[in-house]
Amino acid sequence: MSETIDTLLQEDRIFPPSEAFKANANLNDPAIYGQADADWQGWWEGWAEKLDWFEKWHTVVEWNQPYSKWFLGGKINACYNCVDRHVKNGLGNRIAWIGEGEPGDVREFTYSMVLEHVQRLANAIKSLGVGKGDRVCIYMGQGPELCLAMLACARIGAAHSVVFGGFSAQSIQERVNDAEAKLVITADGSWRRGNIIPLKQIVDSAIEMGCPSVTNVLVYERVGAPFAETMGIPAPDYNRGTWVEGRDVWWHDVVPQQSDDCPCEPMDSEDLLYILYTSGSTGKPKGIMHTTGGYLVGTSATSKCVFDYKDSDIYWCTADCGWVTGHSYVVYGPMANCVTQVLYEGSPDTPEKDRFWRTVEKHKVTILYTAPTAIRTFMKWGEEYPAACDLSSLRLLGSVGEPINPEAWMWYHRVIGGERCPIVDTWWQTETGAIMITSLPGIVPAKPGSATKVFPGVWATIYDEDGNDLVKTQGVPVGGFLVLKRPWPSMLRGIWGDQDRYVKTYWSKFSDAYFAGDGAKLDADGYFWLLGRVDDIMLVSGHNISTMEVESALVDHPKVAEAAVIGKAHDVKGQAVAAFVILKGSAEPSDELAQELKKHVATKIGALARPDDLIFSAELPKTRSGKIMRRLLRDVAEGRVLGDVTTLADPAIVQSLKCQYEDKEG
Ligand code: ATP
Ligand code: MG
């Protein structure tokens, strides 16, 4: 990437919070930014003081770049802070989880019930020989038991490694072996799009492939005959796997009879809380390590400030606990704040494409946190689905996972938020543990497509290739490499088993800053605009163009639902723009439309960005968390053998694009 990134997309719309929202917001004084910046250690310490510690820390932070330690000397337990203390404080009757299964079954758990269940489960896990310092792999569908399993591990000091309940046996095997997990907690299955994912059978296959560290598999019965009976549906036919005596243990055989008293292990602030493998959009997943005290401080503080929790809120984060968003903003951050939340097991189009909106209506959800990939899918399906539901309970919307295209933002704002709900676009990573760039909804006016400002206490800036701080040397507006300049409590403590990769990935490009891997620009108002991975940024005739900006220009066209753009090697220009486009429901692909779309990009952001190739497609290759995998599209466009496809949601999509592309070329 050359000095700066050309700023192409112009976005001038601005949406301040309403006076009423501002007046009631948890944070509404802009002075907070300056205060947190001037005393960032004190700012984070203030949040640490809101948690319950068995022993107080003596030092807030110790920073030996690239390693940080937070709240040294402190003793704390994450489960205690998410469950026990609320019950002790008289909030035991508050609903923690409204667990909605895909078939429509709903189970509510109060915080007192969570406390009881988590203690029994923790005792059961202990009885299987797991203790402090061990690792446990969790492979389940989204729902109360998955959260219970995470909390039970945290309670006894075993680190969890959640593997998304949809990954292949090979992905489980790799992750189990990398972490040397002793125990796998799974279910007989989980519901997805009306079908059963045979989780236990997939775990069996993983173990058959070789998982020498695993001594037991604890199996929760989710989809079997008893469930069918309560639902009054025929017992489902699915692959139950093979029961291995001595290894496999039914949850219902060992958990309910345990004592409901299991004291929390006092953990050192820096003890490992969990390992989580990244999404794998850019390559082989990394086992990111998070520790206890700092992580809990970062997630609880950001949850409270960004989502503006009130006692009356019903919060719904649609992310699965297989991703970091489910760790930080389903389990630890929200539960540390004693929030009531919806946990939904299944897909957004079962039984109909209105499932999300029916769910919002049914449970009167007030805060909804979802991903741009979902929003673009809803745009493609059409407004009639949300329009038929009562979404008036919503008061705040959030977005995470990818840059949100301005048009998708506007749709979210208008169709879902009824033009009344602030939108928080939150930039962060598995590695950062908690939100780093976001608006505080009661303070910062939103601009569609911008993640806006740093979270108080965080210091982000823009570097050039040589590590110059462009904000200092050139001022704003400016574009380049996004870096974080000072440590934050929830930062990763490294990559499990591979500290060299940790140093190499995040700390070798620049000598004095954490390199996030993303490009960004900072506008004249000090707003950050995320431009995607720097590896994805195109160099066309000497100009750096962000894939995200061209994608947003395409999505701006009324017939386009979604687009992925890449730079393809070109003899003259260096790189040429290639675009893969998904049309909205009623639009038909044609050569004329392809020409029209290319022209639309040229008018919207300049001739330089006009795509050379434009392919219509029904789907795009995505990770299971819904992120577009541009590296595979580059392989397609440049006629290479496809790279690592193990984290793809549907490998058939990229194969069919490859054929389509080759046909066109040939
Ligand atoms: P891997 O690191 O294995 O390639 P990944 O980076 O996709 O996988 P995650 O940690 O889940 O794994 O994703 C973090 C990345 O997601 C960020 O680096 C950024 O590129 C993108 N991202 C997340 N939230 C936003 C946002 N609000 N705006 C723009 N980009 C975002
Ligand atoms: Mg990443």
Side-chain angles (χ1 to χ4, degrees):
M1 192 162 66
S2 70
E3 287 281 285
T4 57
I5 299 174
D6 294 287
T7 296
L8 298 175
L9 199 72
Q10 207 48 48
E11 178 56 67
D12 302 317
R13 289 170 285 197
I14 186 152
F15 296 86
S18 69
E19 287 308 318
F21 190 97
K22 234 191 225 173
N24 291 316
N26 290 346
L27 289 179
N28 48 21
D29 180 3
I32 196 85
Y33 284 99
Q35 289 159 7
D37 215 37
D39 179 14
W40 54 278
Q41 297 193 20
W43 160 257
W44 291 120
E45 188 169 31
W47 286 102
E49 277 157 6
K50 297 186 200 308
L51 297 173
D52 275 17
W53 298 74
F54 302 128
E55 257 172 62
K56 202 181 160 164
W57 59 91
H58 52 72
T59 306
V60 175
V61 59
E62 187 187 280
W63 179 224
N64 289 314
Q65 190 187 302
Y67 297 102
S68 82
K69 290 183 177 166
W70 284 82
F71 309 108
L72 280 89
K75 298 257 186 249
I76 188 167
N77 184 285
C79 180
Y80 185 89
N81 275 277
C82 290
V83 187
D84 303 51
R85 70 169 172 147
H86 304 318
V87 177
K88 284 217 167 89
N89 292 339
L91 298 173
N93 287 333
R94 184 176 292 181
I95 307 276
W97 303 322
I98 303 167
E100 173 153 330
E102 194 184 77
D105 51 314
V106 176
R107 291 178 300 148
E108 293 189 346
F109 288 70
T110 62
Y111 275 91
S112 295
M113 288 162 70
V114 174
L115 180 59
E116 184 196 322
H117 284 282
V118 83
Q119 297 196 79
R120 292 193 206 279
L121 178 59
N123 279 328
I125 294 173
K126 273 187 178 169
S127 77
L128 296 172
V130 174
K132 185 172 172 176
D134 290 332
R135 271 88 48 210
V136 174
C137 172
I138 303 175
Y139 182 71
M140 303 178 91
Q142 180 71 345
E145 285 71 25
L146 170 47
C147 299
L148 278 174
M150 292 165 69
L151 290 165
C153 289
R155 191 169 191 91
I156 63 171
H160 52 72
S161 161
V162 181
V163 176
F164 173 62
F167 268 144
S168 64
Q170 193 192 335
S171 305
I172 301 173
Q173 189 215 12
E174 279 168 13
R175 286 163 178 73
V176 161
N177 288 344
D178 190 70
E180 295 179 277
K182 258 189 173 171
L183 173 69
V184 180
I185 306 181
T186 188
D188 56 345
S190 91
W191 293 96
R192 185 84 196 168
R193 205 159 274 130
N195 295 314
I196 287 173
I197 302 176
L199 298 169
K200 166 65 166 62
Q201 183 260 321
I202 300 171
V203 168
D204 288 348
S205 310
I207 296 179
E208 263 164 43
M209 291 159 72
C211 292
S213 56
V214 173
T215 49
N216 288 104
V217 178
L218 179 62
V219 191
Y220 175 72
E221 188 170 30
R222 160 81 185 120
V223 300
F227 173 74
E229 214 165 283
T230 59
M231 295 294 288
I233 54 174
D237 185 24
Y238 67 102
N239 191 331
R240 291 167 176 75
T242 314
W243 199 257
V244 177
E245 284 305 330
R247 182 195 76 183
D248 297 346
V249 183
W250 281 115
W251 179 303
H252 54 250
D253 282 343
V254 293
V255 177
Q257 51 271 59
Q258 297 289 332
S259 141
D260 64 357
D261 179 28
C262 176
C264 289
E265 193 68 41
M267 302 298 283
D268 192 276
S269 177
E270 279 299 323
D271 279 337
L272 187 65
L273 177 62
Y274 69 78
I275 302 169
L276 180 66
Y277 294 83
T278 53
S279 309
S281 351
T282 57
K284 184 176 177 279
K286 304 170 274 281
I288 302 300
M289 297 196 285
H290 282 293
T291 56
T292 312
Y295 175 79
L296 210 57
V297 170
T299 53
S300 61
T302 48
S303 294
K304 174 97 183 172
C305 300
V306 177
F307 299 115
D308 192 52
Y309 293 143
K310 302 289 187 298
D311 289 350
S312 53
D313 275 317
I314 311 285
Y315 165 82
W316 183 21
C317 167
T318 67
D320 189 280
C321 285
W323 317 118
V324 73
T325 307
H327 285 60
S328 300
Y329 299 109
V330 173
V331 177
Y332 295 108
M335 294 194 72
N337 283 287
C338 200
V339 161
T340 298
Q341 65 182 316
V342 172
L343 301 174
Y344 171 58
E345 176 184 40
S347 88
D349 55 355
T350 307
E352 294 299 334
K353 294 189 170 77
D354 61 359
R355 184 62 185 266
F356 269 29
W357 319 121
R358 292 275 164 232
T359 304
V360 167
E361 178 180 71
K362 179 167 162 192
H363 301 300
K364 300 201 167 40
V365 172
T366 59
I367 306 171
L368 178 71
Y369 190 30
T370 192
T373 179
I375 297 165
R376 291 186 304 252
T377 302
F378 298 137
M379 286 171 77
K380 182 170 72 181
W381 289 344
E383 279 178 37
E384 58 270 30
Y385 297 104
C389 299
D390 179 5
L391 305 181
S392 61
S393 55
L394 289 170
R395 68 174 197 92
L396 179 66
L397 304 175
S399 171
V400 61
E402 285 180 297
I404 178 165
N405 319 92
E407 281 320 299
W409 194 102
M410 289 304 298
W411 190 92
Y412 198 27
H413 169 70
R414 181 175 57 82
V415 179
I416 307 305
E419 298 183 346
R420 109 197 135 256
C421 306
I423 297 180
V424 289
D425 175 6
T426 60
W427 176 87
W428 58 295
Q429 309 177 296
T430 309
E431 295 88 339
T432 67
I435 294 167
M436 296 281 108
I437 301 179
T438 177
S439 50
L440 294 176
I443 300 179
V444 181
K447 297 187 189 184
S450 167
T452 78
K453 311 260 181 179
V454 286
F455 185 77
V458 172
W459 180 8
T461 190
I462 309 285
Y463 272 13
D464 69 6
E465 181 76 55
D466 303 320
N468 298 305
D469 186 339
L470 292 175
V471 179
K472 275 198 194 135
T473 59
Q474 299 193 358
V476 288
V478 74
F481 298 90
L482 177 66
V483 297
L484 299 173
K485 291 277 289 181
R486 62 164 86 103
W488 62 97
S490 62
M491 71 187 282
L492 74 165
R493 301 300 196 261
I495 296 178
W496 177 261
D498 198 351
Q499 289 303 37
D500 288 347
R501 191 174 178 206
Y502 169 64
V503 176
K504 198 163 155 273
T505 310
Y506 310 102
W507 297 97
S508 64
K509 187 161 182 72
F510 303 119
S511 63
D512 62 350
Y514 168 86
F515 173 45
D518 288 353
K521 62 188 195 200
L522 191 61
D523 74 12
D525 300 329
Y527 278 54
F528 285 90
W529 298 77
L530 275 302
L531 299 172
R533 328 288 178 150
V534 292
D535 305 343
D536 289 339
I537 286 169
M538 304 171 286
L539 188 61
V540 181
S541 309
H543 295 265
N544 281 125
I545 301 180
S546 115
T547 50
M548 191 267 160
E549 293 194 316
V550 183
E551 287 162 9
S552 289
L554 284 163
V555 173
D556 178 75
H557 189 282
K559 290 191 176 154
V560 175
E562 180 149 36
V565 163
I566 51 142
K568 170 190 173 184
H570 187 280
D571 292 344
V572 182
K573 300 195 246 190
Q575 277 186 317
V577 177
F580 297 78
V581 171
I582 301 182
L583 295 174
K584 281 191 188 150
S586 56
E588 284 290 332
S590 68
D591 286 345
E592 292 71 47
L593 183 56
Q595 290 308 326
E596 187 182 321
L597 295 180
K598 289 180 184 179
K599 201 168 143 230
H600 187 75
V601 173
T603 0
K604 188 93 191 148
I605 59 178
L608 198 63
R610 189 179 192 278
D612 277 28
D613 298 346
L614 194 143
I615 301 267
F616 292 109
S617 161
E619 308 275 356
L620 291 169
K622 290 184 179 172
T623 62
R624 282 162 211 258
S625 55
K627 291 167 196 265
I628 299 170
M629 284 234 237
R630 290 183 193 72
R631 65 180 165 85
L632 293 178
L633 292 174
R634 275 198 299 272
D635 293 344
V636 167
E638 294 178 350
R640 266 190 307 273
V641 176
L642 298 176
D644 184 5
V645 294
T646 50
T647 55
L648 265 185
D650 180 359
I653 293 169
V654 63
Q655 274 307 340
S656 96
L657 278 175
K658 201 168 156 64
C659 297
Q660 216 183 321
Y661 214 96
E662 280 158 10
D663 280 356
K664 203 176 148 145
E665 300 273 282

